[in-house]
């Protein structure tokens, strides 16, 4: 059988870890030894066929700061996704619960861990599309890893996929995503800056109290998040540089009719 296919009989399901965009996630054991996270996919929550195609590619993304995809169980419904297990759960909750005691050193190591993961994704032309503290996990050794990269492409909930939807990550999105839906590693860099702000505020909500509509307006007018108290000027400068407006490559209409038109079709390995 294909190596991305996991035999469900080799999985034992244990306690519930929580529920995410696609459904319940549980702690399990694979071949009775290896602790894993088992994500059960609710009917109608995911573009399943498209994801199963992509899973073959995602299996090849291996990095110590990426939550590893181990495989999928697609021969029964509901299907499930099996990944590396991270004992200390979601970074956002971890910051809110342990933030106060965390020293600057750990806060900076969190940014370094996630930066290493994102550098790896960029070199593999892979865009996360929803980098945020809520989509990072903490290991038993307090190492932080990036999770659910690229999964936004398979979400069927249009409250999440539409940029005017209640679940769209407006506060982590750059102007070119908000206005033109233009995703790139540069838009991941913008989100990384907001993630740094979340880390140094120990889990505050960015633009707290303001609506998504207000934030689109503020960002478009050039406003940016303030310096967190725990962030030095250097750290703030770093996150601030992530929020540079990218110069828009407008499509110029040719005035003269070109003698010949050739189209470059470059399909990147990952979109
Ligand atoms: C791998 N993994 C996943 C989770 C876990 C649990 C519940 N929901 C989620 N989430 N969270 C977020 C999420 C987000 C997406 C987007 C497509 C990007 C919108 C898609 C998802 F499918 C999820 C998901 O499944 C996760 C993240 O996938 C928790 C773990 N660990 C612990 C440990 C202790 N307590 C709680 N969780 C763990 O090790």
């Amino acid at each position: 059988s294909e190596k991305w296919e996991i035999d469900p009989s080799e999985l034992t399901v244990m306690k519930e870890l929580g529920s995410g965009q696609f459904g319940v996630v549980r702690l399990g054991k694979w071949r009775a030894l290896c602790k894993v996270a088992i994500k059960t996919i609710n009917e109608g929550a995911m573009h399943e066929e498209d994801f199963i195609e992509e899973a073959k590619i995602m299996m090849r993304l291996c990095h110590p700061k990426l939550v590893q995809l181990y495989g999928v169980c697609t021969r029964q419904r509901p299907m499930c996704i099996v990944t590396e297990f991270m004992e200390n759960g979601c970074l956002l909750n971890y910051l809110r619960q342990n933030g106060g005691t965390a020293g600057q050193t750990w806060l900076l190591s969190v940014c370094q861990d996630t930066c290493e993961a994102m550098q790896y994704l960029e070199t593999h032309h892979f865009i996360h599309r929803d980098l945020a503290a809520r989509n990072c996990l903490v290991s038993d050794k307090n190492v932080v890893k990036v999770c659910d990269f690229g999964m936004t492409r398979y979400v069927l909930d249009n409250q999440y996929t539409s940029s005017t939807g209640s679940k769209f990550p407006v506060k982590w999105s750059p102007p070119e995503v908000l206005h033109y839906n233009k995703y790139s590693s540069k838009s991941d860099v913008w989100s990384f800056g907001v993630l740094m702000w979340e880390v140094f505020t120990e889990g505050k909500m960015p633009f707290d109290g303001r609506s998504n509509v207000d934030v689109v307006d503020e960002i478009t007018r050039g406003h940016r998040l303030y310096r967190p108290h725990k962030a030095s000027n250097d750290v703030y400068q770093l996150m601030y540089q992530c929020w540079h407006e990218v110069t828009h490559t407008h499509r110029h209409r040719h005035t003269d009719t070109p003698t010949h038109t050739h189209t470059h079709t470059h399909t990147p390995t990952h979109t």
Side-chain angles (χ1 to χ4, degrees), residues 15-26 36-39 41 46 67 81 83-90 128 130 134-135 137-138 147-155 160:
K15 69 169 182 173
E16 229 179 80
L17 295 171
S19 60
Q21 187 63 38
F22 299 120
V24 173
V25 185
R26 295 179 180 87
V36 294
I38 304 167
K39 208 191 288 269
I41 307 303
M46 175 192 267
V67 175
I81 298 171
T83 75
E84 174 182 6
F85 171 62
M86 302 281 281
E87 274 80 4
N88 281 313
C90 158
H128 188 300
D130 192 1
R134 64 180 171 277
N135 290 328
L137 294 168
V138 187
C147 194
D148 295 313
F149 32 94
M151 294 302 285
T152 62
R153 295 169 294 173
Y154 310 106
V155 174
Y160 176 79

mmCIF file of all heavy atoms in Angstrom, residues 15-26 36-39 41 46 67 81 83-90 128 130 134-135 137-138 147-155 160, ligand 1:
data_model
loop_
_atom_site.group_PDB
_atom_site.id
_atom_site.type_symbol
_atom_site.label_atom_id
_atom_site.label_comp_id
_atom_site.label_asym_id
_atom_site.label_seq_id
_atom_site.Cartn_x
_atom_site.Cartn_y
_atom_site.Cartn_z
ATOM 1 N N LYS A 15 -6.902 9.984 24.637
ATOM 2 C CA LYS A 15 -7.739 11.125 25.068
ATOM 3 C C LYS A 15 -7.895 12.189 23.977
ATOM 4 O O LYS A 15 -7.090 12.253 23.042
ATOM 5 C CB LYS A 15 -7.129 11.777 26.319
ATOM 6 C CG LYS A 15 -5.809 12.496 26.063
ATOM 7 C CD LYS A 15 -5.382 13.354 27.254
ATOM 8 C CE LYS A 15 -4.083 14.090 26.940
ATOM 9 N NZ LYS A 15 -3.689 15.045 27.960
ATOM 10 N N GLU A 16 -8.924 13.002 24.150
ATOM 11 C CA GLU A 16 -9.187 14.114 23.247
ATOM 12 C C GLU A 16 -8.224 15.251 23.563
ATOM 13 O O GLU A 16 -7.923 15.510 24.732
ATOM 14 C CB GLU A 16 -10.626 14.619 23.449
ATOM 15 C CG GLU A 16 -11.401 14.766 22.142
ATOM 16 C CD GLU A 16 -12.828 15.231 22.361
ATOM 17 O OE1 GLU A 16 -13.003 16.448 22.547
ATOM 18 O OE2 GLU A 16 -13.716 14.359 22.361
ATOM 19 N N LEU A 17 -7.710 15.915 22.495
ATOM 20 C CA LEU A 17 -6.787 17.036 22.695
ATOM 21 C C LEU A 17 -7.482 18.369 22.467
ATOM 22 O O LEU A 17 -7.002 19.414 22.916
ATOM 23 C CB LEU A 17 -5.598 16.905 21.736
ATOM 24 C CG LEU A 17 -4.697 15.695 21.972
ATOM 25 C CD1 LEU A 17 -3.700 15.543 20.835
ATOM 26 C CD2 LEU A 17 -3.984 15.809 23.311
ATOM 27 N N GLY A 18 -8.590 18.343 21.734
ATOM 28 C CA GLY A 18 -9.318 19.562 21.419
ATOM 29 C C GLY A 18 -9.931 19.428 20.044
ATOM 30 O O GLY A 18 -9.843 18.373 19.425
ATOM 31 N N SER A 19 -10.539 20.503 19.553
ATOM 32 C CA SER A 19 -11.085 20.420 18.197
ATOM 33 C C SER A 19 -10.647 21.642 17.404
ATOM 34 O O SER A 19 -10.582 22.759 17.929
ATOM 35 C CB SER A 19 -12.603 20.304 18.234
ATOM 36 O OG SER A 19 -13.123 21.430 18.876
ATOM 37 N N GLY A 20 -10.273 21.364 16.161
ATOM 38 C CA GLY A 20 -9.766 22.428 15.280
ATOM 39 C C GLY A 20 -10.733 22.658 14.136
ATOM 40 O O GLY A 20 -11.899 22.318 14.245
ATOM 41 N N GLN A 21 -10.218 23.189 13.058
ATOM 42 C CA GLN A 21 -11.056 23.584 11.922
ATOM 43 C C GLN A 21 -11.776 22.404 11.271
ATOM 44 O O GLN A 21 -12.862 22.552 10.727
ATOM 45 C CB GLN A 21 -10.180 24.296 10.877
ATOM 46 C CG GLN A 21 -10.935 24.901 9.725
ATOM 47 C CD GLN A 21 -11.888 25.990 10.150
ATOM 48 O OE1 GLN A 21 -11.588 26.784 11.039
ATOM 49 N NE2 GLN A 21 -13.069 26.018 9.555
ATOM 50 N N PHE A 22 -11.191 21.211 11.330
ATOM 51 C CA PHE A 22 -11.753 20.055 10.607
ATOM 52 C C PHE A 22 -12.457 19.082 11.536
ATOM 53 O O PHE A 22 -13.128 18.155 11.067
ATOM 54 C CB PHE A 22 -10.643 19.331 9.846
ATOM 55 C CG PHE A 22 -9.967 20.180 8.812
ATOM 56 C CD1 PHE A 22 -8.605 20.428 8.891
ATOM 57 C CD2 PHE A 22 -10.681 20.758 7.773
ATOM 58 C CE1 PHE A 22 -7.966 21.220 7.941
ATOM 59 C CE2 PHE A 22 -10.057 21.554 6.824
ATOM 60 C CZ PHE A 22 -8.696 21.785 6.911
ATOM 61 N N GLY A 23 -12.283 19.255 12.862
ATOM 62 C CA GLY A 23 -12.924 18.323 13.785
ATOM 63 C C GLY A 23 -12.041 18.007 14.969
ATOM 64 O O GLY A 23 -11.050 18.691 15.235
ATOM 65 N N VAL A 24 -12.383 16.910 15.660
ATOM 66 C CA VAL A 24 -11.722 16.566 16.922
ATOM 67 C C VAL A 24 -10.308 16.041 16.658
ATOM 68 O O VAL A 24 -10.075 15.334 15.672
ATOM 69 C CB VAL A 24 -12.557 15.502 17.674
ATOM 70 C CG1 VAL A 24 -11.812 15.014 18.898
ATOM 71 C CG2 VAL A 24 -13.912 16.081 18.062
ATOM 72 N N VAL A 25 -9.383 16.395 17.512
ATOM 73 C CA VAL A 25 -8.007 15.885 17.461
ATOM 74 C C VAL A 25 -7.756 15.103 18.750
ATOM 75 O O VAL A 25 -8.070 15.596 19.836
ATOM 76 C CB VAL A 25 -6.982 17.022 17.330
ATOM 77 C CG1 VAL A 25 -5.569 16.477 17.155
ATOM 78 C CG2 VAL A 25 -7.333 17.920 16.135
ATOM 79 N N ARG A 26 -7.257 13.880 18.603
ATOM 80 C CA ARG A 26 -7.040 13.027 19.775
ATOM 81 C C ARG A 26 -5.590 12.556 19.860
ATOM 82 O O ARG A 26 -4.901 12.451 18.826
ATOM 83 C CB ARG A 26 -7.954 11.790 19.696
ATOM 84 C CG ARG A 26 -9.445 12.106 19.786
ATOM 85 C CD ARG A 26 -10.289 10.846 19.669
ATOM 86 N NE ARG A 26 -11.719 11.146 19.750
ATOM 87 C CZ ARG A 26 -12.477 11.480 18.693
ATOM 88 N NH1 ARG A 26 -11.920 11.588 17.479
ATOM 89 N NH2 ARG A 26 -13.766 11.737 18.848
ATOM 90 N N VAL A 36 1.049 9.762 18.832
ATOM 91 C CA VAL A 36 0.690 10.571 17.667
ATOM 92 C C VAL A 36 -0.554 11.395 17.964
ATOM 93 O O VAL A 36 -1.269 11.129 18.935
ATOM 94 C CB VAL A 36 0.406 9.684 16.424
ATOM 95 C CG1 VAL A 36 1.666 8.979 15.971
ATOM 96 C CG2 VAL A 36 -0.719 8.691 16.725
ATOM 97 N N ALA A 37 -0.792 12.404 17.134
ATOM 98 C CA ALA A 37 -2.051 13.146 17.167
ATOM 99 C C ALA A 37 -2.884 12.669 15.990
ATOM 100 O O ALA A 37 -2.358 12.533 14.887
ATOM 101 C CB ALA A 37 -1.797 14.646 17.080
ATOM 102 N N ILE A 38 -4.157 12.347 16.267
ATOM 103 C CA ILE A 38 -5.058 11.839 15.220
ATOM 104 C C ILE A 38 -6.174 12.843 15.007
ATOM 105 O O ILE A 38 -6.983 13.096 15.911
ATOM 106 C CB ILE A 38 -5.646 10.469 15.628
ATOM 107 C CG1 ILE A 38 -4.522 9.476 15.926
ATOM 108 C CG2 ILE A 38 -6.572 9.945 14.537
ATOM 109 C CD1 ILE A 38 -4.984 8.216 16.626
ATOM 110 N N LYS A 39 -6.191 13.464 13.818
ATOM 111 C CA LYS A 39 -7.159 14.499 13.492
ATOM 112 C C LYS A 39 -8.280 13.873 12.662
ATOM 113 O O LYS A 39 -8.054 13.465 11.529
ATOM 114 C CB LYS A 39 -6.421 15.563 12.663
ATOM 115 C CG LYS A 39 -6.936 16.962 12.738
ATOM 116 C CD LYS A 39 -6.286 17.850 11.677
ATOM 117 C CE LYS A 39 -4.851 18.176 11.969
ATOM 118 N NZ LYS A 39 -4.714 19.424 12.751
ATOM 119 N N ILE A 41 -11.495 14.025 10.396
ATOM 120 C CA ILE A 41 -12.014 15.073 9.513
ATOM 121 C C ILE A 41 -13.535 14.931 9.381
ATOM 122 O O ILE A 41 -14.027 13.949 8.839
ATOM 123 C CB ILE A 41 -11.356 14.969 8.114
ATOM 124 C CG1 ILE A 41 -9.834 14.951 8.244
ATOM 125 C CG2 ILE A 41 -11.834 16.112 7.209
ATOM 126 C CD1 ILE A 41 -9.234 16.150 8.967
ATOM 127 N N MET A 46 -13.773 19.499 4.705
ATOM 128 C CA MET A 46 -12.516 19.575 3.944
ATOM 129 C C MET A 46 -12.688 19.126 2.497
ATOM 130 O O MET A 46 -13.466 18.212 2.222
ATOM 131 C CB MET A 46 -11.468 18.685 4.630
ATOM 132 C CG MET A 46 -10.156 18.582 3.861
ATOM 133 S SD MET A 46 -9.111 17.280 4.491
ATOM 134 C CE MET A 46 -8.128 18.206 5.643
ATOM 135 N N VAL A 67 5.686 20.554 12.637
ATOM 136 C CA VAL A 67 4.950 19.392 13.157
ATOM 137 C C VAL A 67 4.815 18.398 12.007
ATOM 138 O O VAL A 67 4.206 18.692 10.978
ATOM 139 C CB VAL A 67 3.569 19.807 13.697
ATOM 140 C CG1 VAL A 67 2.755 18.586 14.128
ATOM 141 C CG2 VAL A 67 3.736 20.761 14.884
ATOM 142 N N ILE A 81 -6.084 12.309 9.784
ATOM 143 C CA ILE A 81 -4.714 12.745 9.504
ATOM 144 C C ILE A 81 -3.890 12.440 10.748
ATOM 145 O O ILE A 81 -4.337 12.730 11.869
ATOM 146 C CB ILE A 81 -4.683 14.260 9.194
ATOM 147 C CG1 ILE A 81 -5.508 14.565 7.942
ATOM 148 C CG2 ILE A 81 -3.253 14.761 9.037
ATOM 149 C CD1 ILE A 81 -5.716 16.049 7.671
ATOM 150 N N THR A 83 -0.344 12.951 12.808
ATOM 151 C CA THR A 83 0.841 13.815 12.857
ATOM 152 C C THR A 83 1.639 13.572 14.133
ATOM 153 O O THR A 83 1.180 12.884 15.049
ATOM 154 C CB THR A 83 0.470 15.324 12.843
ATOM 155 O OG1 THR A 83 -0.033 15.696 14.138
ATOM 156 C CG2 THR A 83 -0.538 15.649 11.765
ATOM 157 N N GLU A 84 2.781 14.180 14.183
ATOM 158 C CA GLU A 84 3.604 14.238 15.389
ATOM 159 C C GLU A 84 2.763 14.807 16.541
ATOM 160 O O GLU A 84 1.898 15.669 16.312
ATOM 161 C CB GLU A 84 4.795 15.151 15.090
ATOM 162 C CG GLU A 84 5.707 15.472 16.237
ATOM 163 C CD GLU A 84 6.838 16.424 15.818
ATOM 164 O OE1 GLU A 84 6.838 16.906 14.672
ATOM 165 O OE2 GLU A 84 7.730 16.670 16.657
ATOM 166 N N PHE A 85 3.012 14.318 17.762
ATOM 167 C CA PHE A 85 2.288 14.804 18.942
ATOM 168 C C PHE A 85 3.170 15.783 19.703
ATOM 169 O O PHE A 85 4.366 15.563 19.882
ATOM 170 C CB PHE A 85 1.904 13.626 19.849
ATOM 171 C CG PHE A 85 1.359 14.054 21.191
ATOM 172 C CD1 PHE A 85 0.197 14.796 21.284
ATOM 173 C CD2 PHE A 85 2.035 13.728 22.367
ATOM 174 C CE1 PHE A 85 -0.300 15.200 22.510
ATOM 175 C CE2 PHE A 85 1.544 14.123 23.600
ATOM 176 C CZ PHE A 85 0.378 14.859 23.673
ATOM 177 N N MET A 86 2.570 16.870 20.181
ATOM 178 C CA MET A 86 3.292 17.912 20.922
ATOM 179 C C MET A 86 2.659 18.069 22.297
ATOM 180 O O MET A 86 1.545 18.562 22.428
ATOM 181 C CB MET A 86 3.248 19.228 20.145
ATOM 182 C CG MET A 86 3.834 19.151 18.753
ATOM 183 S SD MET A 86 5.611 19.202 18.775
ATOM 184 C CE MET A 86 5.851 20.965 18.985
ATOM 185 N N GLU A 87 3.379 17.620 23.325
ATOM 186 C CA GLU A 87 2.812 17.475 24.682
ATOM 187 C C GLU A 87 2.210 18.764 25.239
ATOM 188 O O GLU A 87 1.190 18.728 25.907
ATOM 189 C CB GLU A 87 3.896 17.007 25.669
ATOM 190 C CG GLU A 87 4.088 15.517 25.718
ATOM 191 C CD GLU A 87 4.934 15.025 24.560
ATOM 192 O OE1 GLU A 87 5.415 15.869 23.792
ATOM 193 O OE2 GLU A 87 5.079 13.813 24.394
ATOM 194 N N ASN A 88 2.838 19.904 24.962
ATOM 195 C CA ASN A 88 2.407 21.120 25.653
ATOM 196 C C ASN A 88 1.411 21.955 24.869
ATOM 197 O O ASN A 88 1.117 23.101 25.240
ATOM 198 C CB ASN A 88 3.621 21.957 26.074
ATOM 199 C CG ASN A 88 4.273 21.388 27.328
ATOM 200 O OD1 ASN A 88 3.582 21.074 28.294
ATOM 201 N ND2 ASN A 88 5.584 21.207 27.296
ATOM 202 N N GLY A 89 0.888 21.372 23.771
ATOM 203 C CA GLY A 89 -0.248 21.995 23.086
ATOM 204 C C GLY A 89 0.042 23.326 22.442
ATOM 205 O O GLY A 89 1.183 23.654 22.142
ATOM 206 N N CYS A 90 -1.035 24.077 22.260
ATOM 207 C CA CYS A 90 -1.031 25.283 21.438
ATOM 208 C C CYS A 90 -0.204 26.421 22.073
ATOM 209 O O CYS A 90 -0.318 26.704 23.267
ATOM 210 C CB CYS A 90 -2.506 25.666 21.261
ATOM 211 S SG CYS A 90 -2.818 27.342 20.854
ATOM 212 N N HIS A 128 2.477 28.988 4.145
ATOM 213 C CA HIS A 128 1.643 28.517 5.253
ATOM 214 C C HIS A 128 0.215 29.024 5.102
ATOM 215 O O HIS A 128 -0.741 28.261 5.147
ATOM 216 C CB HIS A 128 2.222 28.985 6.590
ATOM 217 C CG HIS A 128 1.543 28.380 7.782
ATOM 218 N ND1 HIS A 128 0.198 28.539 8.042
ATOM 219 C CD2 HIS A 128 2.012 27.567 8.768
ATOM 220 C CE1 HIS A 128 -0.123 27.892 9.127
ATOM 221 N NE2 HIS A 128 0.942 27.281 9.589
ATOM 222 N N ASP A 130 -1.583 30.760 7.137
ATOM 223 C CA ASP A 130 -2.260 31.131 8.396
ATOM 224 C C ASP A 130 -1.298 30.974 9.573
ATOM 225 O O ASP A 130 -1.616 30.316 10.572
ATOM 226 C CB ASP A 130 -3.538 30.313 8.616
ATOM 227 C CG ASP A 130 -4.392 30.885 9.759
ATOM 228 O OD1 ASP A 130 -3.987 31.919 10.362
ATOM 229 O OD2 ASP A 130 -5.437 30.286 10.076
ATOM 230 N N ARG A 134 -1.714 30.606 17.433
ATOM 231 C CA ARG A 134 -2.706 29.522 17.594
ATOM 232 C C ARG A 134 -2.389 28.329 16.709
ATOM 233 O O ARG A 134 -2.894 27.231 16.946
ATOM 234 C CB ARG A 134 -4.110 30.057 17.281
ATOM 235 C CG ARG A 134 -4.275 30.490 15.849
ATOM 236 C CD ARG A 134 -5.642 31.027 15.496
ATOM 237 N NE ARG A 134 -5.618 31.603 14.158
ATOM 238 C CZ ARG A 134 -5.210 32.841 13.886
ATOM 239 N NH1 ARG A 134 -4.875 33.664 14.894
ATOM 240 N NH2 ARG A 134 -5.149 33.293 12.643
ATOM 241 N N ASN A 135 -1.562 28.536 15.679
ATOM 242 C CA ASN A 135 -1.196 27.442 14.769
ATOM 243 C C ASN A 135 0.239 26.996 14.969
ATOM 244 O O ASN A 135 0.874 26.460 14.065
ATOM 245 C CB ASN A 135 -1.447 27.873 13.319
ATOM 246 C CG ASN A 135 -2.930 27.989 13.024
ATOM 247 O OD1 ASN A 135 -3.737 27.260 13.582
ATOM 248 N ND2 ASN A 135 -3.283 28.949 12.187
ATOM 249 N N LEU A 137 2.688 24.807 18.026
ATOM 250 C CA LEU A 137 2.547 23.890 19.166
ATOM 251 C C LEU A 137 3.857 23.833 19.943
ATOM 252 O O LEU A 137 4.918 24.161 19.405
ATOM 253 C CB LEU A 137 2.182 22.496 18.668
ATOM 254 C CG LEU A 137 0.804 22.370 18.010
ATOM 255 C CD1 LEU A 137 0.680 21.025 17.303
ATOM 256 C CD2 LEU A 137 -0.312 22.549 19.012
ATOM 257 N N VAL A 138 3.758 23.423 21.220
ATOM 258 C CA VAL A 138 4.925 23.399 22.118
ATOM 259 C C VAL A 138 5.211 21.943 22.518
ATOM 260 O O VAL A 138 4.297 21.217 22.923
ATOM 261 C CB VAL A 138 4.677 24.252 23.371
ATOM 262 C CG1 VAL A 138 5.938 24.366 24.223
ATOM 263 C CG2 VAL A 138 4.198 25.664 22.969
ATOM 264 N N CYS A 147 2.524 24.364 12.750
ATOM 265 C CA CYS A 147 1.543 23.309 12.493
ATOM 266 C C CYS A 147 0.551 23.735 11.414
ATOM 267 O O CYS A 147 0.432 24.931 11.116
ATOM 268 C CB CYS A 147 0.809 23.096 13.823
ATOM 269 S SG CYS A 147 -0.143 21.632 13.899
ATOM 270 N N ASP A 148 -0.121 22.745 10.808
ATOM 271 C CA ASP A 148 -1.227 22.987 9.867
ATOM 272 C C ASP A 148 -0.862 23.913 8.718
ATOM 273 O O ASP A 148 -1.708 24.646 8.205
ATOM 274 C CB ASP A 148 -2.440 23.511 10.642
ATOM 275 C CG ASP A 148 -2.973 22.459 11.618
ATOM 276 O OD1 ASP A 148 -3.129 21.293 11.196
ATOM 277 O OD2 ASP A 148 -3.181 22.798 12.799
ATOM 278 N N PHE A 149 0.396 23.838 8.282
ATOM 279 C CA PHE A 149 0.861 24.673 7.166
ATOM 280 C C PHE A 149 0.152 24.230 5.870
ATOM 281 O O PHE A 149 -0.001 23.047 5.599
ATOM 282 C CB PHE A 149 2.384 24.581 7.014
ATOM 283 C CG PHE A 149 2.950 23.239 7.392
ATOM 284 C CD1 PHE A 149 3.158 22.273 6.421
ATOM 285 C CD2 PHE A 149 3.231 22.924 8.713
ATOM 286 C CE1 PHE A 149 3.661 21.018 6.764
ATOM 287 C CE2 PHE A 149 3.741 21.682 9.057
ATOM 288 C CZ PHE A 149 3.943 20.721 8.097
ATOM 289 N N GLY A 150 -0.317 25.211 5.109
ATOM 290 C CA GLY A 150 -0.943 24.944 3.811
ATOM 291 C C GLY A 150 -2.342 24.374 3.891
ATOM 292 O O GLY A 150 -2.998 24.169 2.872
ATOM 293 N N MET A 151 -2.826 24.139 5.109
ATOM 294 C CA MET A 151 -4.128 23.453 5.244
ATOM 295 C C MET A 151 -5.315 24.358 4.926
ATOM 296 O O MET A 151 -6.420 23.868 4.685
ATOM 297 C CB MET A 151 -4.276 22.901 6.666
ATOM 298 C CG MET A 151 -3.285 21.798 7.001
ATOM 299 S SD MET A 151 -3.405 20.421 5.869
ATOM 300 C CE MET A 151 -4.922 19.673 6.453
ATOM 301 N N THR A 152 -5.080 25.675 4.885
ATOM 302 C CA THR A 152 -6.209 26.596 4.626
ATOM 303 C C THR A 152 -6.833 26.315 3.264
ATOM 304 O O THR A 152 -7.994 26.579 3.035
ATOM 305 C CB THR A 152 -5.731 28.066 4.641
ATOM 306 O OG1 THR A 152 -4.776 28.239 3.585
ATOM 307 C CG2 THR A 152 -5.097 28.432 5.965
ATOM 308 N N ARG A 153 -6.023 25.764 2.339
ATOM 309 C CA ARG A 153 -6.503 25.534 0.959
ATOM 310 C C ARG A 153 -7.594 24.475 0.901
ATOM 311 O O ARG A 153 -8.257 24.321 -0.117
ATOM 312 C CB ARG A 153 -5.327 25.121 0.067
ATOM 313 C CG ARG A 153 -4.272 26.207 -0.120
ATOM 314 C CD ARG A 153 -3.034 25.657 -0.776
ATOM 315 N NE ARG A 153 -2.358 24.703 0.096
ATOM 316 C CZ ARG A 153 -1.317 23.973 -0.286
ATOM 317 N NH1 ARG A 153 -0.858 24.067 -1.512
ATOM 318 N NH2 ARG A 153 -0.753 23.135 0.554
ATOM 319 N N TYR A 154 -7.757 23.711 1.986
ATOM 320 C CA TYR A 154 -8.711 22.593 1.982
ATOM 321 C C TYR A 154 -9.900 22.832 2.900
ATOM 322 O O TYR A 154 -10.715 21.938 3.085
ATOM 323 C CB TYR A 154 -7.965 21.285 2.313
ATOM 324 C CG TYR A 154 -6.758 21.166 1.453
ATOM 325 C CD1 TYR A 154 -5.481 21.371 1.975
ATOM 326 C CD2 TYR A 154 -6.892 21.001 0.083
ATOM 327 C CE1 TYR A 154 -4.375 21.361 1.154
ATOM 328 C CE2 TYR A 154 -5.793 20.993 -0.748
ATOM 329 C CZ TYR A 154 -4.531 21.178 -0.221
ATOM 330 O OH TYR A 154 -3.435 21.192 -1.045
ATOM 331 N N VAL A 155 -9.982 24.027 3.474
ATOM 332 C CA VAL A 155 -11.103 24.361 4.359
ATOM 333 C C VAL A 155 -12.321 24.686 3.499
ATOM 334 O O VAL A 155 -12.223 25.422 2.514
ATOM 335 C CB VAL A 155 -10.753 25.578 5.248
ATOM 336 C CG1 VAL A 155 -11.960 26.019 6.077
ATOM 337 C CG2 VAL A 155 -9.574 25.259 6.161
ATOM 338 N N TYR A 160 -14.371 31.064 7.116
ATOM 339 C CA TYR A 160 -12.919 31.077 7.273
ATOM 340 C C TYR A 160 -12.238 31.504 5.975
ATOM 341 O O TYR A 160 -11.293 32.278 5.984
ATOM 342 C CB TYR A 160 -12.409 29.694 7.705
ATOM 343 C CG TYR A 160 -10.914 29.637 7.785
ATOM 344 C CD1 TYR A 160 -10.240 30.156 8.891
ATOM 345 C CD2 TYR A 160 -10.160 29.139 6.726
ATOM 346 C CE1 TYR A 160 -8.864 30.160 8.946
ATOM 347 C CE2 TYR A 160 -8.780 29.147 6.772
ATOM 348 C CZ TYR A 160 -8.135 29.652 7.874
ATOM 349 O OH TYR A 160 -6.773 29.667 7.927
HETATM 350 C C1 LIG B 1 -0.547 17.751 16.715
HETATM 351 N N1 LIG B 1 -1.395 18.327 17.764
HETATM 352 C C2 LIG B 1 -2.547 18.974 17.377
HETATM 353 C C3 LIG B 1 -3.375 19.572 18.318
HETATM 354 C C4 LIG B 1 -4.640 20.232 17.907
HETATM 355 C C5 LIG B 1 -5.791 19.984 18.686
HETATM 356 C C6 LIG B 1 -6.989 20.566 18.297
HETATM 357 N N2 LIG B 1 -7.088 21.374 17.218
HETATM 358 C C7 LIG B 1 -5.986 21.622 16.489
HETATM 359 N N3 LIG B 1 -6.122 22.462 15.359
HETATM 360 N N4 LIG B 1 -5.858 23.779 15.582
HETATM 361 C C8 LIG B 1 -5.859 24.643 14.566
HETATM 362 C C9 LIG B 1 -6.140 24.225 13.230
HETATM 363 C C10 LIG B 1 -6.122 25.158 12.178
HETATM 364 C C11 LIG B 1 -6.359 24.752 10.875
HETATM 365 C C12 LIG B 1 -6.326 25.803 9.753
HETATM 366 C C13 LIG B 1 -6.620 25.182 8.399
HETATM 367 C C14 LIG B 1 -4.943 26.459 9.703
HETATM 368 C C15 LIG B 1 -7.380 26.881 10.041
HETATM 369 C C16 LIG B 1 -6.639 23.414 10.617
HETATM 370 C C17 LIG B 1 -6.660 22.491 11.662
HETATM 371 F F1 LIG B 1 -6.928 21.212 11.375
HETATM 372 C C18 LIG B 1 -6.410 22.889 12.985
HETATM 373 C C19 LIG B 1 -6.416 21.965 14.114
HETATM 374 O O1 LIG B 1 -6.660 20.753 14.008
HETATM 375 C C20 LIG B 1 -4.725 21.092 16.811
HETATM 376 C C21 LIG B 1 -3.526 21.490 15.972
HETATM 377 O O2 LIG B 1 -3.517 20.772 14.759
HETATM 378 C C22 LIG B 1 -3.015 19.516 19.691
HETATM 379 C C23 LIG B 1 -1.841 18.864 20.066
HETATM 380 N N5 LIG B 1 -1.353 18.736 21.356
HETATM 381 C C24 LIG B 1 -1.961 19.039 22.519
HETATM 382 C C25 LIG B 1 -1.347 18.672 23.734
HETATM 383 C C26 LIG B 1 -1.975 18.986 24.916
HETATM 384 N N6 LIG B 1 -3.153 19.621 24.916
HETATM 385 C C27 LIG B 1 -3.711 19.935 23.729
HETATM 386 N N7 LIG B 1 -3.144 19.662 22.551
HETATM 387 C C28 LIG B 1 -1.019 18.261 19.070
HETATM 388 O O3 LIG B 1 0.045 17.673 19.404
#
